[in-house]
Amino acid sequence: MTTPFLSVRDLTVAFGTEDGVVHAVDGLSFDVEKGTTLGIVGESGSGKSVTNLAILGLHDPAYTKIGGEITLDGRELTRASPREMERLRGNKVAMIFQDPLTSLSPYHTVGRQIGETFRKHTGASRREARDRAIEMLRRVGIPHAASRVDDHPHQFSGGMRQRVMIAMALVCDPDLLIADEPTTALDVTVQAQILDLLKELQDQSGTAIIMVTHDLGVVARTAHEVLVMYAGRAIERGAVREVLGTPRHPYTWGLLSSMPKLRSPVDVPLVPVRGTPPSLINVPPGCPFHPRCDYTELAGPGLCRGERPELAPHRGHGDACYLTPAQKRTIFTEQIKDKL
Amino acid sequence: MYHFLVRRILGALVILLIITAVTFFLFFAIPRDPARLACGKICPPETLELVRHNMGIDEPVFLQYWHWLAGIFAGREFTYGHCDAPCLGYSFVNQEPIFDAIVDRFPTTLSLTIGAAVVFLLFGVGTGMIAAARRGRAADKIASSASLVGASMQIYFVGVLATWVLVDRLRVLERPAYHDFTADPFAWAGGLLLPWLVLSIIFTANYTRMTRSSMVEQLSEDYVRTARAKGMSSRTVFLRFAWRGAMGPIITIFGVDLGTLLGGAIITEQTFSLHGIGELSIKAVVNQDLPMLLGVVLVSAAAIVVFNIVVDAAYAVIDPRVRLS
């Protein structure tokens, strides 16, 4: 068996705060292969972004404790030196952020911002970096790239800005691209364009993509595999078709049921997942989802409150829940399926 | 840029006009008679009338203001003699044209301001940057506490103390005095070194705090995170990205401070017996010397107004989102 391109094993990220230690990510494992997209979904505060910042080594070591292993192309990243990480960032691993307006420097031209990444990692001259920036702008579909290279971010529309962001991320042909809610701040029509663009660029270069989102529509559209996160842990994982088609975890059921549907009548109210996500300082014992779960009695008395259910370690479709496979199948077909 | 400057300068002129007019009319609201003061203890009514006439304060206030304004462009005639074109009036207390008095005192104030500004910008911004880079650690805590102490100092206290220790006791610094820069630059710097240091203490402290908080704020901005995410070194992130954003508020305050200082650092000048604009303004108030008061107010206001325009122009250079129109 070959080692996966990106492998995250038992990742833990904890922040020391005045109120106590926040266990933002707690024992997370997943793999991403080249040329594929992993969608990570979950509510705010489920640890999606924290995981990705850990891969890039962007947490402040003074306040953060990172455990576990992150292996990229055979290299261990959690113990890499700051200088090594600096050489890796923007070069082998690049990141796209949610809001392209605040994520681009308002003080520098887009050409300079794209070019300086290229210069930093390739040692190219100013001239070459500028040419490369124009080429990248053209690749991400910005019209009149040669004249727009000297414009500042505020002179672009939201969608165009996110294209600039993508051009900047891809300027060194990274092996891994982390897109942290890349379309959340954009208009719906522009969202589709950006997602198509990412897909197209992935087909050209074989980049691995981690797509972080809370929008299941985005996952369905772009991802090959999906990881559902809750309270810093993975609670369901598998191929997109399986996880979205026959979800097994009560939390995934809740997420899918809470989505608005085009075909349902307008007067049917949306059903949110009841309750609120747990505090990450005092994570409830057992399954972190049990206080919000409707099926704890079914799984067996005290089971959900006792030990923490583990995600089945094998590859393929897996989930972390004490319900038996037969119970899950029955509940899904009888109660959930019609609501989707 | 050109349109911006023309418009702002016209606007500045209007502001100056309003400020001088307000000063002028407020002065006459004071129920005291400058002529009586000029006339002396024993003053018969005829003499008082004559002094009034000579000082030009027997005319209606509006007319007096008009004469004052016209004098700036055309010069004026006084019984004491002619006052050349940029004529800001004649000080009957000092027996000299206001313009000459200001020109005479301005180099002292200018030297004091420039030297102090260099010191507090260098040390204040420098310390603030270090504190921001090492935030939460020892260097930051020392800088923060020291700046709090510095900001609570008073010039008249530190000034006297420093003069006693550094000049009288240890004899490491010269006694503060103004020497002409063009005649002897070393004597100029030597004579002003102590006032520069003392005047900068409070400013340095404030700039340290401001720079630190501004930098810390910028360091948590999304675009700074992006810069780190694309592999920029922490030095580049700090200087090319965060500092660029942190500069704005610092430049704004710097402009205001420079303008204020050029209007006369009154306490500093008094503490070190320097004869600058600040001293001039105190004397003008004490002596009810309206022409002098107007002249000093005009200089102070002009300095602040000019630096406001400079700050706005600088903003446009730093931040391309600011359009000068």
Side-chain angles (χ1 to χ4, degrees):
Chain A
M1 198 179 96
T2 54
T3 45
F5 176 64
L6 172 76
S7 145
V8 173
R9 284 289 166 273
D10 281 321
L11 181 71
T12 56
V13 182
F15 305 109
T17 67
E18 284 175 7
D19 302 325
V21 179
V22 177
H23 300 278
V25 176
D26 190 7
L28 181 69
S29 302
F30 62 85
D31 300 328
V32 188
E33 294 294 350
K34 271 202 164 174
T36 67
T37 300
L38 171 73
I40 301 185
V41 290
E43 286 165 294
S44 309
S46 60
K48 302 172 302 212
S49 300
V50 172
T51 302
N52 292 313
L53 294 177
I55 295 174
L56 278 175
L58 284 180
H59 289 297
D60 187 340
Y63 305 100
T64 323
K65 224 176 128 45
I66 295 180
E69 281 180 5
I70 300 171
T71 318
L72 179 83
D73 210 2
R75 280 171 74 191
E76 219 296 304
L77 301 188
T78 55
R79 283 182 291 276
S81 72
R83 192 152 287 257
E84 268 179 87
M85 289 309 289
E86 217 175 274
R87 274 199 294 270
L88 202 77
R89 289 198 285 263
N91 190 16
K92 291 225 154 218
V93 188
M95 190 152 178
I96 303 170
F97 294 98
Q98 177 173 344
D99 186 348
L101 178 58
T102 58
S103 297
L104 289 166
S105 163
Y107 308 112
H108 305 101
T109 64
V110 298
R112 168 129 187 228
Q113 294 186 57
I114 298 170
E116 70 189 349
T117 314
F118 191 62
R119 289 189 66 192
K120 159 93 189 178
H121 297 295
T122 62
S125 70
R126 245 169 232 286
R127 178 90 240 154
E128 289 163 339
R130 194 186 143 88
D131 290 344
R132 175 74 177 174
I134 296 172
E135 184 198 325
M136 289 310 295
L137 289 176
R138 204 169 278 142
R139 252 177 82 188
V140 298
I142 287 182
H144 315 293
S147 62
R148 300 228 63 186
V149 69
D150 295 322
D151 281 351
H152 287 87
H154 71 272
Q155 291 161 295
F156 289 82
S157 67
M160 286 295 155
R161 258 181 234 139
Q162 196 58 294
R163 284 170 192 265
V164 168
M165 195 78 200
I166 292 171
M168 195 166 87
L170 296 181
V171 69
C172 291
D173 287 322
D175 298 325
L176 173 65
L177 179 68
I178 300 171
D180 194 347
E181 313 231 5
T183 56
T184 308
L186 303 177
D187 292 341
V188 184
T189 47
V190 182
Q191 280 187 18
Q193 292 170 17
I194 294 293
L195 295 177
D196 289 344
L197 173 68
L198 282 173
K199 193 131 198 141
E200 194 186 309
L201 295 169
Q202 182 179 41
D203 290 343
Q204 288 169 18
S205 58
T207 309
I209 296 180
I210 296 178
M211 176 73 69
V212 176
T213 179
H214 55 250
D215 186 341
L216 291 163
V218 171
V219 170
R221 194 186 179 104
T222 59
H224 302 95
E225 299 238 323
V226 60
L227 187 77
V228 183
M229 282 188 73
Y230 187 79
R233 298 161 184 189
I235 50 102
E236 184 158 3
R237 174 209 58 212
V240 167
R241 175 192 284 275
E242 288 175 311
V243 173
L244 298 188
T246 53
R248 292 181 190 162
H249 196 285
Y251 177 62
T252 317
W253 295 339
L255 274 188
L256 286 165
S257 313
S258 67
M259 275 176 67
K261 284 119 216 137
L262 269 183
R263 272 176 242 109
S264 66
V266 286
D267 53 349
V268 174
L270 291 175
V271 195
V273 182
R274 71 181 168 84
T276 51
S279 146
L280 294 174
I281 294 175
N282 298 306
V283 186
C287 171
F289 187 62
H290 84 256
R292 303 170 74 186
C293 186
D294 292 328
Y295 308 99
T296 46
E297 296 310 316
L298 207 63
L303 200 55
C304 295
R305 281 177 204 85
E307 284 284 297
R308 169 181 159 189
E310 295 295 333
L311 186 70
H314 59 78
R315 291 178 170 227
H317 194 179
D319 63 290
C321 178
Y322 283 123
L323 293 172
T324 62
Q327 283 173 321
K328 288 174 197 161
R329 221 170 302 128
T330 321
I331 295 169
F332 178 68
T333 41
E334 288 176 3
Q335 300 176 26
I336 310 293
K337 206 170 178 185
D338 302 335
K339 293 197 218 153
L340 304 187
Chain B
M1 190 71 177
Y2 175 74
H3 283 282
F4 163 81
L5 280 179
V6 169
R7 236 183 14 160
R8 288 300 302 269
I9 288 170
L10 287 178
L13 289 177
V14 173
I15 289 173
L16 292 180
L17 204 64
I18 294 171
I19 289 174
T20 51
V22 168
T23 315
F24 207 91
F25 294 116
L26 272 182
F27 183 83
F28 282 97
I30 303 169
R32 279 185 73 182
D33 189 350
R36 187 168 285 282
L37 211 68
C39 187
K41 276 217 173 96
I42 306 155
C43 186
E46 313 87 71
T47 324
L48 188 64
E49 229 16 77
L50 191 66
V51 172
R52 278 232 167 94
H53 180 72
N54 286 345
M55 291 173 79
I57 56 174
D58 54 344
E59 287 177 321
V61 180
F62 287 99
L63 210 57
Q64 286 185 46
Y65 183 62
W66 171 248
H67 284 317
W68 182 82
L69 268 187
I72 295 175
F73 302 100
R76 281 172 84 172
E77 292 299 334
F78 290 98
T79 37
Y80 307 93
H82 181 72
C83 173
D84 282 330
C87 177
L88 297 176
Y90 188 88
S91 167
F92 299 96
V93 182
N94 290 11
Q95 305 283 324
E96 64 177 332
I98 305 298
F99 189 76
D100 295 355
I102 288 174
V103 166
D104 185 41
R105 304 300 187 87
F106 195 67
T108 307
T109 296
L110 187 67
S111 305
L112 191 61
T113 303
I114 290 176
V118 168
V119 174
F120 71 67
L121 257 197
L122 232 57
F123 285 96
V125 172
T127 318
M129 297 266 269
I130 292 169
R134 300 256 176 283
R135 65 189 173 287
R137 283 181 246 173
D140 177 25
K141 282 171 185 155
I142 294 171
S144 298
S145 323
S147 63
L148 199 63
V149 173
S152 342
M153 288 294 168
Q154 291 298 339
I155 288 172
Y156 46 80
F157 171 67
V158 183
V160 172
L161 196 71
T163 311
W164 183 65
V165 174
L166 297 174
V167 179
D168 296 332
R169 291 275 130 198
L170 302 176
R171 295 172 193 276
V172 286
L173 287 182
E174 280 174 50
R175 189 161 294 285
Y178 179 74
H179 306 284
D180 191 12
F181 176 78
T182 48
D184 185 353
F186 290 103
W188 171 79
L192 287 172
L193 197 52
L194 187 59
W196 284 342
L197 293 177
V198 171
L199 179 55
S200 329
I201 286 179
I202 297 172
F203 285 102
T204 304
N206 285 333
Y207 279 77
T208 299
R209 284 140 53 90
M210 204 161 51
T211 305
R212 183 191 179 278
S213 67
S214 198
M215 282 298 285
V216 167
E217 195 186 306
Q218 289 297 319
L219 284 170
S220 66
E221 288 285 331
D222 285 349
Y223 75 92
V224 171
R225 183 186 57 186
T226 307
R228 301 212 301 132
K230 63 186 191 178
M232 298 288 113
S233 68
S234 20
R235 237 177 89 111
T236 311
V237 168
F238 205 77
L239 295 177
R240 198 190 296 165
F241 290 87
W243 170 235
R244 185 74 181 261
M247 261 157 83
I250 295 169
I251 284 182
T252 307
I253 307 291
F254 184 60
V256 175
D257 283 345
L258 268 193
T260 314
L261 283 175
L262 282 179
I266 295 176
I267 296 175
T268 311
E269 285 176 16
Q270 291 292 308
T271 307
F272 296 110
S273 313
L274 294 171
H275 308 296
I277 301 285
E279 190 205 31
L280 217 51
S281 63
I282 288 200
K283 284 193 174 154
V285 172
V286 172
N287 297 330
Q288 293 187 36
D289 190 349
L290 173 64
M292 188 60 88
L293 200 62
L294 274 175
V296 174
V297 166
L298 189 65
V299 170
S300 318
I304 289 174
V305 165
V306 164
F307 277 104
N308 259 311
I309 299 176
V310 172
V311 164
D312 285 350
Y315 245 94
V317 175
I318 298 170
D319 191 339
R321 285 170 300 182
V322 178
R323 288 259 178 80
L324 298 180
S325 56

